[in-house]
Amino acid sequence: MKSLCVYCSSSDRLDAKYFAAATAVGREIAHRHWALVYGGGKTGLMGAVARGVKAQGGHVVGIIPEFMKAKELEFTEADELISVLTMRERKMLMETRADAFLALPGGWGTLEEVLEILTLAHLEVLHKPVVLLNQDGYYDDLLRLFERIVAEKFMHATIRGKFAVARTVEEVFPLIQGWQHQPGDAKWFQTK
Ligand code: AMP
């Protein structure tokens, strides 16, 4: 069974449209017979994705640090709940257990996780699909920043080949399944 790692918001205060999309992502993961790998939380979009998977009889793997469990933030209905000590350990396990990565709208935690994955893809350490769900243009400003990064030569234009952007939940799986590895700039380590 393939696994999709989902990074997303832990906030419970979001507009209902974000919860609806997160639940739909969870349902789609189960319908496609993939497993969910994620941060193991019960709050925000994290909880919504996991509940969406479970509602359709799917498989949920949560990887959660002890300090979050101590605050009872874990999704207890997960099929596998793996405890780790640090956030770094958690990210590493999520990365190794997943066949593809999806970022839904989120805050710093989500950005940190997806940018680490993109950085590994850029460095050719990771060769797995990465998709951003740009729901209602949530990631437009980040994508503009990526363009500026290229325009001002902080990074090579090949970074554009390291991720795909889905506008809707329906676009997510076709993008993952149609994904082909795009080699980066062989000279990524040079400054000119
Ligand atoms: P954020 O986007 O800032 O809400 O952070 C969400 C991401 O950071 C998730 O993908 C989690 O891995 C981690 N995280 C942050 N807060 C929590 C929480 N309350 N419960 C579980 N994971 C969290």
Side-chain angles (χ1 to χ4, degrees):
M1 181 186 258
K2 291 207 172 199
S3 299
L4 178 63
C5 176
V6 178
Y7 302 125
C8 61
S9 173
S10 57
S11 172
D12 280 323
R13 297 174 298 138
L14 310 173
D15 189 285
K17 68 183 180 184
Y18 293 114
F19 290 98
T23 304
V25 165
R27 288 171 174 270
E28 193 60 19
I29 291 170
H31 288 161
R32 303 256 174 181
H33 303 290
W34 281 49
L36 167 69
V37 169
Y38 84 121
K42 68 177 178 187
T43 65
L45 304 185
M46 301 177 73
V49 176
R51 280 187 283 276
V53 174
K54 288 313 299 170
Q56 300 300 307
H59 190 83
V60 173
V61 179
I63 303 169
I64 190 157
E66 287 291 344
F67 74 88
M68 284 188 182
K69 261 179 106 173
K71 291 186 181 165
E72 297 183 353
L73 289 170
E74 83 271 25
F75 179 66
T76 47
E77 297 99 285
D79 298 278
E80 264 183 83
L81 202 54
I82 303 169
S83 291
V84 290
L85 281 182
T86 66
M87 295 291 275
R88 290 196 169 96
E89 243 183 295
R90 175 204 232 179
K91 281 189 296 174
M92 191 156 79
L93 260 188
M94 285 161 85
E95 177 203 326
T96 50
R97 294 275 310 236
D99 298 286
F101 302 86
L102 171 66
L104 306 186
W108 282 358
T110 301
L111 287 180
E112 195 255 330
E113 292 168 332
V114 72
L115 283 173
E116 176 171 314
I117 285 298
L118 289 176
T119 304
L120 292 172
H122 170 239
L123 297 177
E124 300 280 348
V125 173
L126 182 116
H127 300 108
K128 296 175 184 174
V130 184
V131 175
L132 296 180
L133 178 57
N134 190 21
Q135 185 177 359
D136 286 348
Y138 182 78
Y139 282 120
D140 281 355
D141 288 330
L142 183 68
L143 295 169
R144 264 193 286 276
L145 178 61
F146 288 177
E147 285 309 311
R148 180 168 181 173
I149 285 171
V150 171
E152 297 199 23
K153 301 190 172 64
F154 286 96
M155 296 177 86
H156 198 274
T158 52
I159 64 167
R160 293 192 189 113
K162 298 298 180 188
F163 62 93
V165 180
R167 285 162 302 180
T168 61
V169 174
E170 292 70 41
E171 287 180 4
V172 170
F173 269 94
L175 284 170
I176 290 172
Q177 280 158 342
W179 186 85
Q180 284 183 334
H181 173 64
Q182 306 275 336
D185 174 23
K187 296 186 184 125
W188 57 263
F189 47 85
Q190 292 183 356
T191 51
K192 285 185 187 167

